[in-house]
Amino acid sequence: QKEVEQNSGPLSVPEGAIASLNCTYSDRGSQSFFWYRQYSGKSPELIMSIYSNGDKEDGRFTAQLNKASQYVSLLIRDSQPSDSATYLCAVTGGSSNTGKLIFGQGTTLQVKP
Amino acid sequence: SAVISQKPSRDICQRGTSLTIQCQVDSQVTMMFWYRQQPGQSLTLIATANQGSEATYESGFVIDKFPISRPNLTFSTLTVSNLSPEDSSIYLCSVQQGLYGYTFGSGTRLTVV
């Protein structure tokens, strides 16, 4: 079982729709959760971090964390073509607590005009 | 958040040679992380570099192939040795930034011919 799992996609949504990206993780001791956006040929860019159960909103982005289900999600409202990218879920603070950040395989999002 | 300067941005190397990648951070950090991103794949952690101690390597990565130096709290190098075409990837360094999550360098695109 992979430590962090995402559906690789591609996930295709029309412009203006809500894009929903999901991630599960295996280490129940994980403490910090991140969503990164990566455009082709660029390095990952942090868009959301979440540390406690519930929702966290920042502009058009909402991160949701459910530690009991070991599940993290990212909602993108009013999706724009510029949101087309690969979204990487990343987790740290697991049982070994070494501070290392472990990534899922990423979900490719395509927003169609 | 920290600013990371990573060099070179890209290189084309012959089989059997080595490439050394440098990362300079504009603030002192305890841990630096080195990742590999193979074509079309997500980020895989190579090793964690702490100042004043040996790097900690992830499963599948060995010091002879990926020697790392960490001479001070703002600088680290990763060498990819005895290059083969399978080493063609993007290599990224990263630092942990507390509430800012993890910041990445701009990456080094390595092509082995």
Side-chain angles (χ1 to χ4, degrees):
Chain A
Q1 180 189 8
K2 293 183 180 178
E3 293 183 69
V4 181
E5 294 206 52
Q6 297 178 251
N7 187 329
S8 59
L11 172 66
S12 182
V13 301
E15 183 174 357
I18 295 175
S20 178
L21 305 163
N22 304 314
C23 172
T24 58
Y25 59 95
S26 62
D27 191 330
R28 188 169 288 277
S30 300
Q31 298 172 5
S32 303
F33 307 86
F34 306 92
W35 284 99
Y36 284 83
R37 177 175 62 197
Q38 187 175 31
Y39 293 112
S40 181
K42 302 294 186 182
S43 60
E45 170 194 13
L46 179 66
I47 54 172
M48 288 290 286
S49 59
I50 188 166
Y51 306 99
S52 56
N53 281 329
D55 295 359
K56 178 181 178 183
E57 185 174 321
D58 184 0
R60 295 187 296 112
F61 299 98
T62 299
Q64 300 174 317
L65 173 61
N66 183 326
K67 289 188 177 181
S69 300
Q70 296 175 240
Y71 176 88
V72 192
S73 66
L74 179 70
L75 300 177
I76 305 174
R77 291 180 299 281
D78 188 23
S79 295
Q80 300 297 308
S82 60
D83 295 325
S84 298
T86 296
Y87 289 80
L88 300 164
C89 173
V91 175
T92 190
S95 302
S96 60
N97 199 25
T98 57
K100 60 186 182 182
L101 191 63
I102 305 300
F103 284 86
Q105 63 266 46
T107 298
T108 300
L109 173 66
Q110 298 173 347
V111 181
K112 296 186 180 298
Chain B
S1 62
V3 175
I4 303 175
S5 174
Q6 184 172 343
K7 295 190 293 188
S9 59
R10 58 179 64 227
D11 207 341
I12 300 173
C13 298
Q14 297 289 325
R15 291 181 194 225
T17 64
S18 299
L19 175 69
T20 295
I21 302 165
Q22 300 179 0
C23 273
Q24 178 77 52
V25 189
D26 68 348
S27 58
Q28 294 184 339
V29 293
T30 304
M31 290 189 288
M32 292 181 73
F33 304 90
W34 287 97
Y35 287 86
R36 179 177 71 183
Q37 188 169 29
Q38 295 176 300
Q41 303 295 314
S42 185
L43 283 74
T44 300
L45 182 64
I46 297 171
T48 302
N50 291 319
Q51 192 267 336
S53 64
E54 292 283 334
T56 302
Y57 289 83
E58 297 298 305
S59 176
F61 297 97
V62 295
I63 188 171
D64 289 347
K65 177 67 174 177
F66 299 98
I68 288 171
S69 77
R70 184 80 201 276
N72 57 53
L73 291 173
T74 64
F75 186 79
S76 180
T77 67
L78 169 73
T79 298
V80 189
S81 304
N82 190 23
L83 291 168
S84 68
E86 292 72 35
D87 296 319
S88 297
S89 295
I90 297 173
Y91 293 86
L92 298 115
C93 62
S94 175
V95 299
Q96 186 180 9
Q97 284 280 278
L99 294 178
Y100 296 108
Y102 292 69
T103 301
F104 287 83
S106 54
T108 297
R109 183 181 295 272
L110 169 62
T111 302
V112 182
V113 297

